[in-house]
Amino acid sequence: MAIKPVSIAFLTTLVCLGSSAFAQQTPTPAPSTPQETRSPQGLPPQTPEQQKAPATQQGTQQGTLQTSPQNIPSGQTHGSVRISLDEAIQKALQNNHTLKAARTTIQQNEALEITANLRPNPTLTVDSQFLPIFQPSQFSADYINTTAQFDVGVSYLFERGKKRQHRLQAAEDATAQTKATVTDNERTLTFNVASQFLTTQLAESSLDLALQDMKSFQNTVDISEERYRAGDISEVDYLKIKLQLLQFQSDVSMAQLAKTQALVGLRQLLGYQTVPEDFDVTGDFDYRPVTMKLEDLQSEALQNRPDYRAAVLGVTAAKSQYELAKANGKVDITGTADYDHVSAVSTASFFGSLQIPIFNRNQGEIARTNYAINQAQELQLAANDQVMSDVLNAYEGVRENDRIIVLYRGGYLDASQKTRDITEYSYKRGAASLLDFLDAERSYRATQLAYRQSLAAYLTAVEQLREAVGTRSLQ
């Protein structure tokens, strides 16, 4: 087939820009013989030993785009340690530093319980009066016994209104609410780990697809090269096939990068030092239908969601604070017992004192805590609405993504596979055009990749539903 010099130069430029590799004149079509394979124009024919040489050496000699299978990964490598989703969640719950920091708030509240349950300390008072500091000559045993005065007293604050019991109850209720809040942090972390785990699985599945496609297309390139050498296809078609391989190589590189970044993000959630650098994930990346009804999921969510439980406990804690405020409005009594020695006589004195509650009866704090109860009740209702909305949104997300998955699995995946296989078979035997083959190949890749992304979206929606319900089990 005759080709204009301008077309040859233009196509050669495309090869240089597309591959960033070698660019020279391409071989002139000629029939191959069993003894030797024709080399590019202007070079001597290759011997059988040269044909067996590594592709990199041949590329240096020939100055052509390298498409040998030796330059194509046959499959992705996996780390020495592979963890499942359940193992990843367990590691995160044990080692995530943000969660461990949140758990210390429980210990802080438990320490506040100790403080709240403490009784007031007694007060010891000691005094000495009428000592002749400025007349040292007056110091004598008789003067100390008959003239100087000494007092030793102990006073104690008697709390009324069961203040200590109310303080302890309020602190315990605050601790219970804090525990529920930390449990909600665990729920959020579990979802984040599961979501990142699915992102890693999607990247791994996309990488497998890219490697398979590149390996399959490399076979097509090899066959096209043989057809080109035999004169069955034109130089333009052969160069188009070669240039198309660049897209497959780019897909592999991008998929490898996506998987590496996904593993880094997952490692951060698990605790950077808890897994080795070359760890990997394992587990099924497949469709699993959800069969529970919406009403059952919402009912279970109200029982399991820790944030809703924290809102309920917030009402209890607010009521405890109100009772404590009322107890603090009770007047306490301070009792004192003194030992006195004066004028050679030892005596005892007893005192009692209390504030007269004319102005301050803790009215402001009692009113504030009463309003706080109303606030906590409204927050509980808001949390109830939030739970119901979260479950409904997550449930609808699962349903919509489920419909998409069913469409793919109902025939579209098989159709794209068969179309690609039939067109490839026809093209390799000269019964289909190059454009038909490349279009079928692109359609197959796009369908397979879209299915994997839809599957990841479905599984992520299922994880959102688990987070919304507050349990991993949806059966």
Side-chain angles (χ1 to χ4, degrees), residues 25-47:
Q25 292 181 344
T26 55
T28 303
S32 60
T33 63
Q35 290 79 16
E36 64 182 25
T37 302
R38 293 295 301 272
S39 299
Q41 189 176 15
L43 292 179
Q46 290 182 331
T47 64

Side-chain angles (χ1 to χ4, degrees), residues 213-214 217 244-252 441 445:
D213 288 344
M214 187 170 65
F217 197 80
Q244 190 66 25
L245 185 61
L246 176 62
Q247 182 62 50
F248 289 90
Q249 294 170 334
S250 299
D251 290 345
V252 171
E441 183 67 41
R445 287 163 48 206

Side-chain angles (χ1 to χ4, degrees), residues 192-441:
N192 291 336
V193 171
S195 179
Q196 188 65 29
F197 191 93
L198 291 174
T199 300
T200 306
Q201 284 188 312
L202 172 61
E204 185 176 57
S205 179
S206 300
L207 179 56
D208 285 335
L209 175 64
L211 289 169
Q212 292 171 10
D213 288 344
M214 187 170 65
K215 184 177 180 181
S216 175
F217 197 80
Q218 175 62 45
N219 183 42
T220 301
V221 172
D222 295 339
I223 294 175
S224 299
E225 183 177 2
E226 294 299 324
R227 292 182 61 193
Y228 166 61
R229 293 181 186 278
D232 293 340
I233 62 174
S234 68
E235 181 183 6
V236 173
D237 287 347
Y238 175 60
L239 289 176
K240 287 181 179 179
I241 290 290
K242 271 193 172 184
L243 287 174
Q244 190 66 25
L245 185 61
L246 176 62
Q247 182 62 50
F248 289 90
Q249 294 170 334
S250 299
D251 290 345
V252 171
S253 298
M254 295 301 296
Q256 288 173 335
L257 176 61
K259 182 181 177 182
T260 300
Q261 292 176 337
L263 285 172
V264 171
L266 181 60
R267 188 181 184 188
Q268 179 181 356
L269 293 173
L270 302 184
Y272 200 78
Q273 303 299 330
T274 62
V275 291
E277 185 175 355
D278 62 341
F279 87 104
D280 211 333
V281 298
T282 183
D284 295 333
F285 185 64
D286 202 358
Y287 169 71
R288 294 181 295 273
V290 176
T291 58
M292 289 188 68
K293 296 181 179 180
L294 176 61
E295 294 77 10
D296 297 334
L297 292 170
Q298 289 177 330
S299 176
E300 191 169 352
L302 292 176
Q303 297 177 3
N304 296 324
R305 280 277 289 263
D307 56 337
Y308 178 72
R309 188 164 62 250
V312 174
L313 292 173
V315 176
T316 303
K319 292 179 178 179
S320 298
Q321 290 291 336
Y322 176 69
E323 294 298 327
L324 176 61
K326 291 197 300 183
N328 287 335
K330 303 292 183 180
V331 176
D332 297 330
I333 298 176
T334 302
T336 305
D338 286 347
Y339 165 80
D340 307 305
H341 182 85
V342 59
S343 300
V345 177
S346 297
T347 61
S349 302
F350 300 94
F351 304 92
S353 62
L354 72 162
Q355 293 182 350
I356 301 176
I358 297 177
F359 305 109
N360 183 2
R361 296 185 299 275
N362 206 34
Q363 307 97 306
E365 190 64 14
I366 293 174
R368 186 196 67 80
T369 52
N370 188 34
Y371 295 137
I373 295 176
N374 295 334
Q375 179 189 28
Q377 290 172 340
E378 293 297 330
L379 290 176
Q380 178 186 346
L381 295 175
N384 181 88
D385 294 343
Q386 184 68 52
V387 169
M388 303 296 280
S389 299
D390 288 348
V391 175
L392 178 57
N393 287 332
Y395 182 77
E396 291 299 328
V398 171
R399 288 183 59 190
E400 291 302 320
N401 284 280
D402 182 82
R403 292 191 184 100
I404 297 175
I405 294 298
V406 170
L407 289 175
Y408 275 105
R409 297 170 67 92
Y412 286 105
L413 287 176
D414 293 338
S416 66
Q417 176 83 39
K418 291 179 180 179
T419 302
R420 196 277 301 264
D421 293 343
I422 293 173
T423 308
E424 182 180 14
Y425 180 85
S426 301
Y427 171 73
K428 289 178 179 178
R429 284 152 182 82
S433 67
L434 175 62
L435 291 179
D436 291 338
F437 169 65
L438 294 180
D439 183 68
E441 183 67 41

Side-chain angles (χ1 to χ4, degrees), residues 149-166:
Q149 178 177 339
F150 300 94
D151 302 294
V152 178
V154 177
S155 60
Y156 186 78
L157 178 66
F158 294 93
E159 294 182 315
R160 298 178 61 242
K162 297 184 178 180
K163 291 184 176 63
R164 181 174 61 86
Q165 290 85 343
H166 287 299

